[in-house]
Amino acid sequence: MKKEDTEMAAIEKPDMFCYQCSQTAGGIGCTIKGVCGKEATVARLQDNLLFAIKGISAYLYHARELGYTDPEVDAFIERGFFSTLTNVNFDPQEFLNLAVQAGEMNIKTMQLLKKAHIETFGEPTPTQVKTGTVKGHSILVTGHDLHALHKLLQQVEGTDVFVYTHSEMLPAHGYPGLRKYKNLAGNLGRAWFDQRQLFAKYPMAILGTSNCFLIPREEYKDRMFATGPVYLPGVKHIDGYDYSEVIAKARALPELPDASGEYVLTTGFSTSVLLSHAAKIKQLVLDGKIKRFFLVGGCDAPLKKSDYYREFVQKVPKDTVVLTLACGKYRFNDLDLGNIEGIPRLIDLGQCNDAIVALEVAQALAGLFGVGVNDPCPSHWW
C-alpha cells in the first residue's frame, strides 16, 4: 500500500460503528456520533464490554454443564448486557467501571471452571501424550468441553473405538478422571487452524464441542458431528450426550493403523503441582540456576510471522523456564528443552480456559520473592 493510501485509510477509519437501533444514521451505522447522542468513546467501551461478556459466557457454560454456577457472575452478565441497550447508559466512566468488573468476573468464572473440572475429574498432573495412532476405529474430539469428552469416553469404554483429542482438548489427558479410560489414545494435530487438513487426513468420526471451528470441507463433512452450542452447515447436531451415532459412524469407517507419532507432548501442570516445588524453584533462582521465567502463549493464527515464537523459545538461554498456555504453545510444544535439576524448562499450563493457572502461578512467584504481582519484578528472575 502506498503512503498516501495508508494515510487515506487512517483518515477514513470511523471513530465508531454502531448500528443497534432504528435511528442509525442512513440506516447503515453511526460513525462519528450516535443519532441518540452516544459518543464514540462510549460505543467502543460498549463493544469492549460485549467481547468480555462473550468470553465469560463460554467458561460459565462449561462450568454450568458440570453443575457449578455463581449468582454474582450471572447478575453481572445481565447488568452488562442491559447497559449496552439503546439509550440506557451514556456515561464512559461507568463503562470503565464495568470493564474492571468484567475482569473481576472473568477471574471468578475461571476459578469456578477450574474448581468444577478438578472436583469432577481430579487434579491434573504431568502426563505424556502420544501423537501417533493405534489400530482400531477412531473418533477425534475437538473444542474445550471436557464434560462431552467424558460422556463419549464412557460410551466407548471396552470397545474397539479409540478417542483422540485435538487442539484445545489436549489438557484433558492431565486429568486422572479422563486419562483412566484406556480408549483415550492420544492427541492428533496442533492448533485449531490445522483442522481442515487434519480432518481430511484421517478416516475418523469427528466431534466438535465448542468454539474455534472452520466451515468444514465436503470431504469430511459427512463424518463430522457437533454438540452443545456448536452448529455447522451440513453437519449433524447432537442434542444431549448420547453419542451412539458418532460411534456408529466411526465403526463404519476404516480402522487406523498402529503408527508412532513424531514426538510426545507433556501436559497437566496444575497450580498445585507447580507450587509443590516452590521451595526448590526459589532456591534454584537464588543460586542463579534459573535466571528468567517467560510466559509464551495465547491464541495462535496461521501467519508466517508467528514462527517467531518457536525461534524465540529455541533461542532462550538454558537457565530459563518457559511457561505456556492456549494454542500458541503448538508453535513449540514438541521441543525437548530438558530440565533444571528436575524442574522442566517447558511447562504447559493448559488452554485458554486454564489461563487462571497462569495467574495463580504469577501470584505465587511474586509471593516467593516478596513482591506484588504487578510490581516491578527483581531483575534476576523475571
Side-chain angles (χ1 to χ4, degrees), residues 30-273:
C30 298
T31 58
I32 299 173
K33 183 177 180 178
V35 173
C36 66
K38 181 193 300 183
E39 298 290 344
T41 297
V42 170
R44 292 194 294 269
L45 288 170
Q46 287 180 332
D47 291 342
N48 176 74
L49 180 60
L50 290 173
F51 279 121
I53 290 175
K54 286 180 182 180
I56 294 169
S57 298
Y59 299 146
L60 199 60
Y61 174 89
H62 293 307
R64 189 179 299 275
E65 274 190 304
L66 295 170
Y68 291 74
T69 60
D70 188 319
E72 184 182 3
V73 177
D74 293 342
F76 172 78
I77 289 176
E78 293 168 2
R79 179 169 176 242
F81 274 133
F82 195 1
S83 72
T84 67
L85 297 184
T86 305
N87 298 358
V88 173
N89 189 336
F90 295 88
D91 185 356
Q93 182 58 53
E94 178 57 22
F95 276 109
L96 286 173
N97 295 339
L98 285 168
V100 172
Q101 291 174 42
E104 294 169 348
M105 293 303 105
N106 187 45
I107 290 174
K108 284 200 70 174
T109 304
M110 287 192 292
Q111 290 171 333
L112 180 69
L113 182 58
K114 176 188 171 185
K115 177 179 178 172
H117 282 160
I118 290 175
E119 292 186 355
T120 305
F121 306 119
E123 184 86 23
T125 55
T127 304
Q128 291 192 321
V129 183
K130 296 179 180 178
T131 58
T133 58
V134 297
K135 181 175 175 56
H137 301 290
S138 304
I139 299 171
L140 186 71
V141 182
T142 187
H144 300 84
D145 197 331
L146 298 186
H147 183 57
L149 174 66
H150 184 224
K151 292 296 184 182
L152 177 62
L153 288 171
Q154 288 178 323
Q155 293 168 45
V156 301
E157 186 176 15
T159 73
D160 62 346
V161 177
F162 294 92
V163 175
Y164 298 83
T165 58
H166 169 250
S167 192
E168 295 92 344
M169 196 59 79
L170 172 62
H173 294 268
Y175 290 91
L178 295 175
R179 68 167 180 262
K180 71 179 183 181
Y181 291 97
K182 295 180 180 179
N183 291 65
L184 183 59
N187 186 82
L188 298 177
R190 292 178 178 271
W192 61 272
F193 55 81
D194 75 356
Q195 58 188 264
R196 285 177 173 157
Q197 293 74 32
L198 181 75
F199 295 177
K201 178 180 178 180
Y202 293 100
M204 48 172 43
I206 304 158
L207 180 63
T209 68
S210 67
N211 52 302
C212 295
F213 281 100
L214 301 173
I215 300 299
R217 290 178 175 175
E218 290 296 329
E219 57 200 287
Y220 60 80
K221 183 187 292 185
D222 66 328
R223 52 186 173 86
M224 187 169 186
F225 299 83
T227 191
V230 182
Y231 287 82
L232 297 169
V235 170
K236 169 75 175 182
H237 184 272
I238 296 175
D239 294 321
Y241 302 98
D242 179 358
Y243 298 126
S244 54
E245 285 189 66
V246 185
I247 297 168
K249 173 61 74 173
R251 285 207 172 100
L253 294 166
E255 292 185 342
L256 295 185
D258 276 316
S260 299
E262 296 179 4
Y263 49 86
V264 174
L265 301 174
T266 301
T267 190
F269 289 94
S270 63
T271 303
S272 63
V273 166

